[in-house]
Amino acid sequence: MPLEEYKRKRKFDETPEPAGKVEKKSTHRFVVQKHDATRLHYDFRLEMEGVLKSWAVPKGPSLDPGDKRLAMQVEDHPVSYFDFEGNIPEGNYGAGTVMVWDVGTWQPLSPVAVQGKYNPGTDAEAVTMLAKGDLKFRLKGTKLSGDFALIKMKGRRPGSKGTEWLLIKKHDDYAQEGYDIDGYDESVLTHRSLADIAGDAGSREWRSRPAAGRGKLKAAWLADAIARLDKKKAAAAGGKKKSKVK
Ligand code: MN
């Protein structure tokens, strides 16, 4: 059952994470969440087959084709996880702070290069590439853009769980030698740092972009995601105020 493992690991009466369900349609979005859990890592997720296919990347994605980033495949997440940013309480799975580090759209690439270039592929090709452990795709995000591959490692090492993949940037106009992910500690949705989010247990002011700036957002779904976050935040603030009046 899809999302079974996701649901089994979480207590939805304690964590602010969404319970979610498998969606009928997928709209080819991707999200990278910076997650300060037991160990800091980045979660790379592709919207596919009604869920978010997910990998935990300890060092985070890189735009340098020379970096081969270990990516541990983890349980599928619900699509509603897409804009989750906040704090998972102590004692819960993945306890710690989550930031929406990057969002955008992705496109499958055809598995075979033509004269060194990869052309757009089909969803069916993406499903096959994922099953074969060699998924090529193109990202169009705020921080990450260009062609990438996720390649499954053969379980050679003893103790290997068979969940190890490598996330690799292809050579193209978006490649950046010496890319340093630590220079980008800002939420693409709320412009907060990880420390800002960690200190924001409902008491701090919501520092998001002014509404005027949002009209300029090209992607309607991104504007929607930000509006939903604002709504949740306003509801939480409202609830707090009310509880004080007793
Ligand atoms: Mn994580």
Side-chain angles (χ1 to χ4, degrees), residues 121-237:
T122 63
D123 284 353
E125 282 176 317
V127 170
T128 307
M129 287 190 288
L130 182 72
K132 281 188 177 165
D134 185 356
L135 176 62
K136 295 182 176 72
F137 52 93
R138 183 167 293 161
L139 299 181
K140 203 181 274 182
T142 301
K143 295 184 176 91
L144 300 180
S145 283
D147 295 357
F148 290 79
L150 266 166
I151 295 160
K152 192 171 185 178
M153 294 166 79
K154 304 253 160 63
R156 298 179 210 100
R157 296 185 292 118
S160 163
K161 286 182 194 157
T163 56
E164 292 112 337
W165 296 57
L166 293 174
L167 176 62
I168 305 167
K169 178 80 195 72
K170 301 255 175 212
H171 289 275
D172 60 17
D173 292 346
Y174 298 96
Q176 245 182 64
E177 232 175 273
Y179 180 81
D180 179 13
I181 199 165
D182 292 336
Y184 304 90
D185 181 40
E186 191 188 87
S187 163
V188 72
L189 290 187
T190 64
H191 302 276
R192 296 179 297 172
S193 69
L194 204 52
D196 283 341
I197 299 166
D200 186 3
S203 59
R204 283 173 57 130
E205 205 162 315
W206 181 239
R207 292 192 290 126
S208 53
R209 279 182 174 202
R214 277 176 207 159
K216 288 178 196 153
L217 284 173
K218 281 186 197 124
W221 56 261
L222 180 53
D224 283 354
I226 293 173
R228 265 202 307 280
L229 264 171
D230 276 354
K231 224 171 159 184
K232 272 185 220 160
K233 192 71 191 179

Side-chain angles (χ1 to χ4, degrees), residues 3-47:
L3 300 181
E4 192 182 3
E5 188 182 352
Y6 174 85
K7 288 178 179 169
R8 181 165 44 78
K9 285 178 168 171
R10 288 168 177 81
K11 296 174 270 186
F12 294 106
D13 54 340
E14 291 184 20
T15 180
E17 296 164 291
K21 57 178 173 42
V22 178
E23 305 291 334
K24 291 198 179 74
K25 282 187 187 168
S26 296
T27 58
H28 291 98
R29 294 174 297 174
F30 82 89
V31 57
V32 179
Q33 276 149 325
K34 187 173 180 180
H35 187 181
D36 190 11
T38 312
R39 279 189 193 165
L40 181 79
H41 61 275
Y42 293 76
D43 291 297
F44 181 78
R45 312 186 197 280
L46 293 175
E47 185 181 13

